[in-house]
Amino acid sequence: MTEQAGPLLRRHLGDRRFLLTLPRAVGLQVLHPVIATALREHAPNRLWEHKKRTVSQMIYLAHTGRAADSVIRFAHEHVKGVDDRGHRYHALHPDVFLFQHATYVETLMTAADLFGPALAADDRDQLYRETRAWYRTYGVSDRLLPRTRPEFTEYFTDACATQLRISPAALEFRDQVLRPDAWIVRHLPAGAARAMQHPRARTLFDIRPTPADTTALRAVALTARTGFTIAPRRIRYVSQARARTVR
C-alpha cells in the first residue's frame, strides 16, 4: 500500500462538483489524437460510462492509498494501435499519460474557482504538489512532470496549443462531450457544458458560448455552491471518497 493522497487532493477530488466539471477535462482529452483514437477503440458510444468507471477508480485509488501501478498497467497495457495519421501509439507513453492526468489537475483547479471557495495561491501550490505525488503512484515515468505549479501552467498551455487537433475521432465524440448522456454529468444543461470548455477546446470545436450558456453555468455553480456546502457528506462526496475525505 502506498501513502494516501494529501488532504487538499482528497477534499477536492472526491467532491461531486469536480465531477460536474469533467466535460472540461474530457473535451481536451478527445482533442488529443492518441486519447481520442484509444477511446474510439474502447468506448465509441459510451464515453461517459467509460469515464464513470475510470474516474471512480482513480478517486478510489487516491483516497485509499492502494498501489496503482499494477491497476494502471492492467487497464492500459493493451491500449495501443495506430492513429488517424498512421502513427503508432501506446496509452502508457509518458507524453500521453501525463497530458490526460494534467487535464484532471487543471479541472480540479477550475472546479474550485467555479464552485468555490476559490483556492488561495498557497493552497493552489500545495494542491499541485499533492497531484505530483498522486501521479507518481501510477508507476509511469515522471521525467516530464512539471516541478511547480507555474511550470505546470506553462506545460499545459503549450500542450494544448501543440498537441491537440481535430481528428475524425474527436468529431465523433464532440456531441457526447457537450451533451453528456450518463453519470452525474447527464444532469448538466448543455449550455453549462459548452460554457465550461477550455478556451483551446472552444477554438478547435468552434464552440461559441452564448449569454444563455454563461447564465446556465452560473446557475449550476450557484446551486452547487450553496446546496453542496450544507449537504451531508453522502451527497457532497462520491462513495469512493466519503469515508476518507478531509473536511
Side-chain angles (χ1 to χ4, degrees):
M1 179 176 289
T2 59
E3 186 178 351
Q4 286 187 5
L8 278 177
L9 180 59
R10 296 204 307 275
R11 181 181 302 159
H12 290 277
L13 187 63
D15 194 314
R16 292 183 191 272
R17 291 174 292 186
F18 163 64
L19 302 184
L20 286 174
T21 322
L22 282 178
R24 182 180 178 93
V26 177
L28 292 170
Q29 290 171 16
V30 302
L31 285 164
H32 192 291
V34 169
I35 298 172
T37 301
L39 284 169
R40 184 169 62 177
E41 292 292 322
H42 296 275
N45 297 308
R46 48 188 176 85
L47 176 64
W48 288 107
E49 287 87 348
H50 172 77
K51 285 300 170 184
K52 177 181 180 180
R53 182 173 65 254
T54 58
V55 173
S56 295
Q57 184 178 64
M58 178 181 80
I59 294 170
Y60 172 76
L61 290 170
H63 279 77
T64 60
R66 290 188 59 180
D69 52 352
S70 61
V71 176
I72 294 301
R73 284 196 302 272
F74 178 80
H76 294 81
E77 184 63 39
H78 64 291
V79 183
K80 53 188 173 181
V82 178
D83 69 15
D84 62 299
R85 293 184 176 175
H87 301 140
R88 299 194 65 80
Y89 72 85
H90 196 294
L92 287 178
H93 191 283
D95 282 340
V96 177
F97 199 87
L98 175 59
F99 180 75
Q100 180 159 271
H101 167 80
T103 65
Y104 293 127
V105 174
E106 195 269 349
T107 296
L108 274 173
M109 302 285 187
T110 300
D113 291 338
L114 181 61
F115 298 116
L119 295 169
D122 287 348
D123 284 340
R124 285 179 181 274
D125 291 339
Q126 177 62 30
L127 178 57
Y128 179 68
R129 287 192 291 270
E130 293 179 14
T131 67
R132 278 173 48 85
W134 170 35
Y135 184 81
R136 291 196 178 100
T137 68
Y138 290 139
V140 178
S141 171
D142 65 353
R143 64 183 175 83
L144 301 175
L145 185 65
R147 293 174 300 172
T148 65
R149 184 170 61 87
E151 289 180 6
F152 171 81
T153 299
E154 183 178 354
Y155 153 77
F156 196 68
T157 300
D158 179 73
C160 287
T162 62
Q163 296 183 28
L164 306 188
R165 61 178 171 84
I166 289 289
S167 66
L171 291 176
E172 290 180 20
F173 284 118
R174 183 182 188 277
D175 286 348
Q176 290 188 63
V177 170
L178 299 178
R179 297 182 181 84
D181 58 0
W183 200 21
I184 185 174
V185 287
R186 75 182 187 276
H187 300 298
L188 278 173
R194 285 193 297 272
M196 72 172 58
Q197 292 299 309
H198 187 277
R200 182 61 172 155
R202 293 183 188 181
T203 297
L204 290 175
F205 277 138
D206 193 25
I207 300 168
R208 301 174 186 178
T210 66
D213 294 340
T214 303
T215 298
L217 181 58
R218 287 175 179 166
V220 169
L222 178 61
T223 300
R225 188 181 303 124
T226 55
F228 277 62
T229 299
I230 62 174
R233 179 174 293 268
R234 64 183 176 81
I235 299 297
R236 179 172 177 179
Y237 292 100
V238 297
S239 60
Q240 295 82 2
R242 205 172 293 148
R244 300 173 178 86
T245 299
V246 177
R247 291 183 183 275

